[in-house]
Amino acid sequence: MSREQLAVERARRAFSTGRSKPLAYRIRQLNNLRRFLVERQSEIAEAAKKDLNRSEVGIQLFETLGLESEIQLVIKNLKKWAAPRAVEKNLVTLSDTLYIQPEPLGVVLVIGAWNYPWAVTLFPLIGAIAAGNAAVVKPSEVCVHTSTVMEELLNAYLDKELYPVVTGGVQETQELLKQRFDHIVYTGNSMVGRIVMEAAAKHLTPVTLELGGKSPCYIDKNCDIPLACRRVTWGKFTNCGQTCIAPDYVLCEASIQDRVIDEMKKCIKEFYTDDPKSFLDYGRIINERHFRRILAMTEDSTVAVGGESDHTECYIAPTILRDVKAGSKVMQEEIFGPLLPIVPVSGLEGAIDFINQGEKSLVIYVFSTDKKLINRLIEETSSGAVLANDCLVHYSVSSLPFGGVGNSGMGCYHGKFSFDQLSHLRSCMVRPLKNEGMNSMRYPPHTLGKLGWARFFLVQAPDLALMGRVGALAVLVAVAGFLINAYLL
């Protein structure tokens, strides 16, 4: 039995004992996870520094702080989320008990990504624990040091049978995908997403895929251009552009392209100084393969800002490309690096046409003070999310589902969405063993008279919810009338 198979079997045996199901146990594990994030912050930061040149403040700001907040939210609401959920009745079910009972799926596989190795791995794990599942955690092998810390330290805080960490590369991941899971959460690119989905299909395992894509950003010529450029510059070059929801390219009218470039150039200098290479908060490309891939994208485009690189450090400066065409190399795949192409378009209609010609992205950004323009872009395009007048921050809002559509993924998580995604929402109906008269319409022989009664109860019956609201209003009016009369007397 392989190491991967053994981890899955142990997790399934541990789940079968039922110990992951009590809410008190789930909350205890979540508190342990939060304690891990606080007590092991130095080890977490050191690994992130080695893997991505991320500062200790940066790792907290963009990863662990959000995880702590998510755990706090889940613990606060878990009892409510896990409780039976009442549903509406009709005339046929008036005497029945109807509800939805969330229940654990079983054993979940979480395959993390390297760009935000803690956030994209532990956010789904929080949801898996909250829903009462066991979970096998597979961190990305690309972040070698982070993967090691996760394997060595996480199991010291969590139940190591229910939540094992399995490290390794492609071979180990392939071995994991041969096993049967009850749900798989994968964050990464669409090519591997297809492989994950194909493996899951052999066991009829549902999947949540967070796949990214080329997220466009439209800047309206009538908006506050300096402020828009400031926010786009921050969103694009955070983590050296290695963010799945980073603005991939900018769409704007040709008349404002030079101004956009000038404003972004100022912002790059403000954020990262004249020498980003030596600046503490500017990262590095994860490895030499991605370094070469990103540089190759610039070959047929004009560099307006930046362009400097150093292969010995996998360093690429914040770079802006101008007058980029749809057929350019940089427009053929998700950039996932510090290149920002600017594609001139005729206006909003041109931007919408350009967006709709490509695959559906994880997010669409738009900068405008015109609400009608924003609404039109929302109505005439499709994406995992839309964010107007800022970048990235929608990821931090737990009341919004985070996920893609089409080529950018399927399923979603964050907050209650994580809990529901990793739960089976079980339909429950409990009927009294009496009132058989109502059931006579369904029994043979089937007659037109019985059909008429069935039609009345199922199709023509009044809206009980509306009747309830009207009844409540009538009672309120009656009480108010009684109090007024008593006051007047």
Side-chain angles (χ1 to χ4, degrees):
M1 184 178 292
S2 68
R3 179 172 64 105
E4 295 75 25
Q5 186 178 358
L6 185 60
V8 177
E9 288 300 316
R10 283 177 175 169
R12 194 166 295 283
R13 284 200 302 269
F15 176 77
S16 68
T17 66
R19 70 174 183 261
S20 66
K21 295 182 180 180
L23 296 188
Y25 188 85
R26 305 183 203 182
I27 291 172
R28 185 160 66 250
Q29 294 297 307
L30 290 169
N31 274 321
N32 288 344
L33 183 56
R34 179 165 54 183
R35 191 161 54 86
F36 162 75
L37 294 169
V38 173
E39 294 179 358
R40 299 295 186 168
Q41 184 59 53
S42 60
E43 290 97 328
I44 291 171
E46 183 180 356
K49 178 69 175 177
K50 291 177 180 177
D51 286 328
L52 291 157
N53 197 43
R54 190 92 55 81
S55 68
E56 184 167 354
V57 173
I59 189 71
Q60 291 186 54
L61 187 61
F62 292 107
E63 296 208 59
T64 60
L65 194 61
L67 291 167
E68 290 180 54
S69 175
E70 180 85 349
I71 292 171
Q72 182 174 304
L73 174 75
V74 171
I75 290 175
K76 177 183 176 182
N77 292 284
L78 186 56
K79 185 177 180 180
K80 178 173 64 176
W81 294 348
R85 306 174 189 181
V87 298
E88 289 186 9
K89 298 181 180 181
N90 58 27
L91 284 179
V92 177
T93 59
L94 271 178
S95 61
D96 302 334
T97 302
L98 306 177
Y99 61 96
I100 297 169
Q101 178 62 64
E103 65 176 19
L105 289 170
V107 181
V108 175
L109 172 61
V110 177
I111 305 176
W114 55 262
N115 59 326
Y116 291 89
W118 292 101
V120 299
T121 306
L122 297 191
F123 263 111
L125 177 61
I126 291 168
I129 295 172
N133 298 295
V136 177
V137 179
K138 172 59 180 67
S140 171
E141 70 279 5
V142 178
C143 276
V144 178
H145 301 93
T146 297
S147 179
T148 300
V149 169
M150 205 175 291
E151 180 184 33
E152 292 179 352
L153 299 182
L154 194 58
N155 283 339
Y157 288 79
L158 297 180
D159 186 320
K160 61 184 179 182
E161 291 183 331
L162 278 170
Y163 316 112
V165 178
V166 177
T167 59
V170 174
Q171 183 177 341
E172 287 76 12
T173 304
Q174 289 174 338
E175 183 63 29
L176 276 174
L177 289 173
K178 292 177 183 177
Q179 314 307 314
R180 182 176 69 85
F181 290 94
D182 299 288
H183 198 102
I184 298 175
V185 182
Y186 167 74
T187 303
N189 61 63
S190 58
M191 180 183 70
V192 177
R194 290 180 173 88
I195 295 171
V196 171
M197 196 170 182
E198 182 179 1
K202 295 176 182 178
H203 300 286
L204 294 180
T205 299
V207 296
T208 299
L209 304 177
E210 303 299 342
L211 305 178
K214 295 186 74 64
S215 295
C217 174
Y218 177 65
I219 299 179
D220 177 23
K221 66 179 179 181
N222 296 317
C223 76
D224 185 336
I225 292 177
L227 182 54
C229 290
R230 181 180 178 84
R231 294 181 178 180
V232 174
T233 302
W234 169 74
K236 177 61 181 184
F237 299 113
T238 291
N239 198 32
C240 208
Q242 297 166 123
T243 304
C244 62
I245 51 174
D248 192 88
Y249 59 94
V250 165
L251 299 168
C252 67
E253 293 187 32
S255 61
I256 66 168
Q257 180 180 214
D258 288 337
R259 189 178 177 197
V260 166
I261 292 171
D262 289 342
E263 293 296 340
M264 289 185 177
K265 185 177 181 179
K266 294 176 188 175
C267 293
I268 290 171
K269 181 177 180 180
E270 176 191 349
F271 293 162
Y272 304 112
T273 74
D274 287 320
D275 184 17
K277 185 178 179 182
S278 62
F279 189 64
L280 178 66
D281 286 316
Y282 187 72
R284 296 293 184 269
I285 305 305
I286 186 64
N287 56 34
E288 192 170 339
R289 179 176 70 85
H290 282 286
F291 173 83
R292 292 195 302 268
R293 176 187 64 82
I294 295 166
L295 276 188
M297 291 182 176
T298 66
E299 291 174 355
D300 59 352
S301 294
T302 302
V303 174
V305 178
E308 301 83 9
S309 63
D310 182 351
H311 76 276
T312 63
E313 293 188 20
C314 287
Y315 166 79
I316 300 177
T319 299
I320 299 173
L321 308 174
R322 64 173 300 134
D323 295 311
V324 174
K325 308 297 183 183
S328 301
K329 289 183 178 180
V330 75
M331 298 303 294
Q332 304 312 305
E333 63 177 89
E334 182 179 7
I335 297 168
F336 225 65
L339 310 180
L340 183 59
I342 298 181
V343 181
V345 292
S346 58
L348 179 64
E349 284 194 13
I352 290 173
D353 289 343
F354 192 94
I355 291 169
N356 288 337
Q357 287 171 15
E359 298 282 4
K360 296 179 182 180
S361 62
L362 197 51
V363 57
I364 293 174
Y365 297 107
V366 53
F367 286 82
S368 177
T369 55
D370 186 343
K371 291 184 178 179
K372 290 183 179 178
L373 183 151
I374 294 171
N375 288 336
R376 184 179 170 194
L377 186 139
I378 292 173
E379 291 169 0
E380 297 184 21
T381 62
S382 178
S383 61
V386 173
L387 175 54
N389 298 322
D390 211 339
C391 292
L392 311 187
V393 295
H394 64 293
Y395 182 85
S396 65
V397 183
S398 293
S399 56
L400 290 173
F402 178 76
V405 60
N407 201 64
S408 61
M410 63 181 69
C412 60
Y413 63 91
H414 277 182
K416 186 173 181 291
F417 299 100
S418 296
F419 180 88
D420 286 351
Q421 182 88 146
L422 298 176
S423 296
H424 170 53
L425 301 182
R426 192 179 193 182
S427 301
C428 297
M429 179 176 184
V430 180
R431 310 204 77 182
L433 203 56
K434 55 183 180 180
N435 302 332
E436 187 66 357
M438 176 68 77
N439 294 325
S440 63
M441 72 180 82
R442 73 189 188 189
Y443 296 141
H446 303 306
T447 65
L448 290 177
K450 290 181 178 180
L451 178 61
W453 279 111
R455 178 173 294 278
F456 170 76
F457 281 110
L458 297 176
V459 179
Q460 298 172 337
D463 186 334
L464 295 183
L466 177 61
M467 290 176 64
R469 290 192 292 272
V470 172
L473 180 61
V475 171
L476 183 62
V477 170
V479 171
F482 174 78
L483 292 175
I484 291 171
N485 286 333
Y487 175 76
L488 293 176
L489 291 174

